[in-house]
Amino acid sequence: MNLTLRQGVPADIPALRMLIDASVRGLQAGDYTPAQIEGALETVYGVDGQLIADGTYFVVEAANVIVGCGGWSKHKTLFGGDRWTAREDSLIDPLHDAAKIRAFFVHPDWVRRGIGSMILEGCEKAAIAAGFTRLEMGATLTGVPLYRARGYVALESLDVALQNGESIKVVRMEKRVGKVQS
């Protein structure tokens, strides 16, 4: 299995939309109801064009097919794609704020192969190189075990209201990291 990590580009957006849909429907059914999944796909989950524009979104390819994606952000928004209306796009300060780990999705046929860890490591290295010493995320219940295994700790549980009247639980998690040695 030859996996390649690279920066996401605008031309990837159609493939990312299909990946996100397959990932959410295929992997989150054990943690959320069908109504929650559909509501989250309509309201919260989706491609985040800001991450792609910032050059902080990564994809993993296998045989030129995108099988995983995820990124990090230097903006206030903790989670949510382009259609999420509660976005806070102001920039954060690496000296005082935590970089946001965002928008991780792996195709159900490719789980348990280190893809999420590969993307997370790339995000962490890039955020540390940008001067951040803390990382945080709004993790889905499905993602919590991966992030916990990678050193993140739960800070609080959040209820995210969806447009269809449902809500989903996400867990705000954090990891403290060291500064890059020069």
Side-chain angles (χ1 to χ4, degrees):
M1 168 178 58
N2 187 19
L3 298 173
T4 305
L5 178 72
R6 67 166 175 81
Q7 193 173 36
V9 296
D12 295 328
I13 291 174
L16 291 170
R17 286 185 179 131
M18 290 190 305
L19 169 66
I20 291 167
D21 188 72
S23 178
V24 172
R25 284 192 166 91
L27 300 178
Q28 293 189 9
D31 295 305
Y32 302 108
T33 69
Q36 288 173 311
I37 288 171
E38 294 310 312
L41 283 167
E42 293 169 9
T43 307
V44 183
Y45 300 149
V47 174
D48 188 326
Q50 182 69 62
L51 297 178
I52 292 172
D54 287 346
T56 60
Y57 203 60
F58 298 98
V59 300
V60 171
E61 290 181 319
N64 295 319
V65 175
I66 297 174
V67 296
C69 58
W72 70 280
S73 180
K74 49 192 168 188
H75 298 273
K76 277 192 177 183
T77 296
L78 185 62
F79 57 83
D82 290 341
R83 62 185 95 171
W84 178 235
T85 58
R87 296 176 65 85
E88 296 180 58
D89 287 333
S90 56
L91 290 173
I92 54 179
D93 179 355
L95 298 177
H96 301 101
D97 302 311
K100 310 304 186 231
I101 300 296
R102 306 266 318 279
F104 272 59
F105 301 95
V106 175
H107 193 281
D109 294 343
W110 288 87
V111 296
R112 298 279 197 226
R113 299 182 195 203
I115 293 168
S117 293
M118 184 180 191
I119 298 166
L120 186 57
E121 185 175 313
C123 290
E124 290 174 349
K125 285 181 179 178
I128 292 167
F132 287 93
T133 59
R134 287 187 310 120
L135 309 165
E136 75 173 343
M137 68 183 66
T140 63
L141 298 177
T142 309
V144 166
L146 166 67
Y147 302 124
R148 187 172 284 135
R150 295 294 310 241
Y152 288 79
V153 295
L155 301 176
E156 65 181 320
S157 180
L158 306 169
D159 284 313
V160 178
L162 306 174
Q163 288 177 349
N164 66 354
E166 296 285 330
S167 67
I168 59 169
K169 284 222 182 286
V170 297
V171 179
R172 189 166 73 89
M173 301 183 82
E174 178 185 70
K175 181 177 180 178
R176 294 180 181 272
V177 294
K179 292 186 185 261
V180 173
Q181 301 296 320
S182 41

